Amino acid sequence: MDQLTTELVKHVGSITQSYELILVDDGSTDMSWEGIKRICRLNGKIKGIKLSRNFGQHKAITSGLQEAKGEWIIVMDCDLQDRPDQIAKLYREATSENDIILAGRLNRTDKNLKLLIYSHHCDISK
């Protein structure tokens, strides 16, 4: 969690100092919520949401989106497979003349079934 928030603050902060980070604990059984509370105390731009139980990724994302106040929103998992250092590039593309920006991972470290499911994709170029 610390590495994630450090990277996000660094890369989002390079675009603007007017940002918020919303961390959602989807009923974790480890000490994630304690870590989120600690991080929120250290940085007032970071908010935490604790769901009462594990509702799944879609509900966790929806909960974060409902809380978000920003004009631009990025959704990412906490495992750093979605790279925070790509946020500035995505933002530049989104503020250019492109109608749709789609990001995807070229190299995944998921289990075999997920790799099979996610490996079928289309590349769209300008």
Side-chain angles (χ1 to χ4, degrees), residues 85-111:
D85 65 338
Q86 296 298 303
I87 292 172
K89 181 178 180 182
L90 286 169
Y91 180 74
R92 280 192 306 275
E93 291 293 325
T95 55
S96 68
E97 305 237 351
N98 296 304
D99 292 331
I100 297 172
I101 308 300
L102 176 64
R105 294 182 219 144
L106 295 177
N107 299 310
R108 298 187 66 97
T109 59
D110 296 310
K111 301 290 182 205

Side-chain angles (χ1 to χ4, degrees), residues 71-124:
E71 181 179 352
W72 297 94
I73 299 172
I74 294 175
V75 175
M76 56 192 328
D77 290 342
C78 66
D79 60 6
L80 288 170
Q81 286 192 53
D82 300 321
R83 295 179 24 210
D85 65 338
Q86 296 298 303
I87 292 172
K89 181 178 180 182
L90 286 169
Y91 180 74
R92 280 192 306 275
E93 291 293 325
T95 55
S96 68
E97 305 237 351
N98 296 304
D99 292 331
I100 297 172
I101 308 300
L102 176 64
R105 294 182 219 144
L106 295 177
N107 299 310
R108 298 187 66 97
T109 59
D110 296 310
K111 301 290 182 205
N112 291 338
L113 179 59
K114 275 190 177 180
L115 284 173
L116 177 64
I117 293 168
Y118 291 131
S119 66
H120 298 286
H121 66 281
C122 298
D123 291 327
I124 301 173

Side-chain angles (χ1 to χ4, degrees), residues 2 13 15-16 19 24 27-29 32 39 41 52 55-56 62 65 77 88 95 103 111 113-114:
D2 289 326
I15 299 168
T16 180
Y19 66 86
V24 180
S28 66
T29 56
S32 294
I39 290 167
R41 283 191 301 270
S52 60
F55 288 95
T62 301
L65 291 173
D77 290 342
T95 55
K111 301 290 182 205
L113 179 59
K114 275 190 177 180

Side-chain angles (χ1 to χ4, degrees), residues 1-105:
M1 190 77 59
D2 289 326
Q3 183 181 0
L4 171 68
T5 55
T6 299
E7 290 290 314
L8 288 172
V9 166
K10 173 183 169 184
H11 294 291
V12 173
S14 72
I15 299 168
T16 180
Q17 287 300 304
S18 177
Y19 66 86
E20 66 180 346
L21 300 180
I22 301 172
L23 306 175
V24 180
D25 180 346
D26 186 23
S28 66
T29 56
D30 59 11
M31 297 299 291
S32 294
W33 181 242
E34 295 305 315
I36 290 172
K37 289 192 306 186
R38 180 181 50 77
I39 290 167
C40 290
R41 283 191 301 270
L42 296 173
N43 185 333
K45 295 179 181 185
I46 301 175
K47 298 177 183 178
I49 297 173
K50 180 175 178 50
L51 301 181
S52 60
R53 63 176 176 83
N54 184 302
F55 288 95
Q57 183 180 27
H58 297 294
K59 180 62 176 167
I61 290 170
T62 301
S63 297
L65 291 173
Q66 288 173 336
E67 183 68 24
K69 308 254 185 302
E71 181 179 352
W72 297 94
I73 299 172
I74 294 175
V75 175
M76 56 192 328
D77 290 342
C78 66
D79 60 6
L80 288 170
Q81 286 192 53
D82 300 321
R83 295 179 24 210
D85 65 338
Q86 296 298 303
I87 292 172
K89 181 178 180 182
L90 286 169
Y91 180 74
R92 280 192 306 275
E93 291 293 325
T95 55
S96 68
E97 305 237 351
N98 296 304
D99 292 331
I100 297 172
I101 308 300
L102 176 64
R105 294 182 219 144

